Amino acid sequence: KAIATITASDAQRTYGAGNPVFPFTVSGLLNGDTAEDIDTPPTISTAAVSASPVGTYAIKAAGASDANYDFAYAAGTLTVDPATLTITAEDQARGFGQPNPPFTANYSGFVLEEGPTNLDTEPALQTIADTGSSVGDYTITASGASDTNYSITHQSGTLSIGKAIATITASDAQRTYGAGNPVFPFT
């Protein structure tokens, strides 16, 4: 028998996705034979599953047989890339002179039913506004989140500080009949 080499082709996918169909090439075939002419085509596989972390994994070929050929095998490489994750600070509102509310974030792009607690480092959510900050809009920044399996983008939100409500109460007053009204105080 002639010897032909089956090489698993390199492949790439994103963390959390299923493995693609792995193609292969065959070298050393003779007399116009092609990969389609192999009696029993090879099985191409990897140990990586959808939950396998970002990194590289061997793609192995095995199991081919043919009446005219013996086969050697060469491995390919599966590259698992990070999934894209966007973390957005959610908008918040409060009144002037009040403490800031708890800041929260919206997450878009988690895979495999993962969530914020799966991150290596959760995001910091903060603003420069404090209880003495004037009425207006202030940026809530999201930053610092990291994870091996995600490529993370941070997006800001807005803290809107509205006017406080104050109550003006006219104070009671007294005067004598015929006299002019006094200056009316208030609190």
Side-chain angles (χ1 to χ4, degrees):
K1 292 183 178 183
I3 295 176
T5 301
I6 297 175
T7 303
S9 300
D10 293 342
Q12 191 170 359
R13 69 163 174 84
T14 303
Y15 171 70
N19 289 328
V21 173
F22 298 120
F24 63 92
T25 59
V26 183
S27 60
L29 296 176
L30 304 172
N31 299 326
D33 287 341
T34 65
E36 289 77 28
D37 296 318
I38 297 173
D39 294 341
T40 303
T43 300
I44 311 295
S45 63
T46 182
V49 296
S50 61
S52 295
V54 167
T56 57
Y57 300 86
I59 303 171
K60 296 181 179 179
S65 66
D66 190 89
N68 296 317
Y69 297 95
D70 283 330
F71 295 100
Y73 300 99
T77 301
L78 171 65
T79 302
V80 177
D81 295 322
T84 300
L85 177 66
T86 301
I87 300 174
T88 305
E90 294 180 323
D91 294 342
Q92 301 287 342
R94 69 165 173 87
F96 172 73
Q98 299 296 312
N100 289 333
F103 296 133
T104 55
N106 182 27
Y107 299 83
S108 176
F110 275 120
V111 296
L112 303 172
E113 298 182 13
E114 294 182 340
T117 58
N118 293 103
L119 293 173
D120 294 337
T121 305
E122 292 190 39
L125 302 169
Q126 54 195 3
T127 183
I128 61 168
D130 58 24
T131 54
S133 296
S134 299
V135 169
D137 290 339
Y138 296 84
T139 299
I140 303 170
T141 58
S143 63
S146 66
D147 192 89
T148 304
N149 294 318
Y150 292 95
S151 174
I152 299 174
T153 301
H154 297 88
Q155 294 185 349
S156 299
T158 301
L159 171 65
S160 297
I161 299 178
K163 292 182 178 181
I165 297 175
T167 301
I168 299 174
T169 303
S171 300
D172 293 340
Q174 190 172 351
R175 69 167 174 85
T176 305
Y177 174 74
N181 286 333
V183 174
F184 297 118
F186 64 91
T187 56

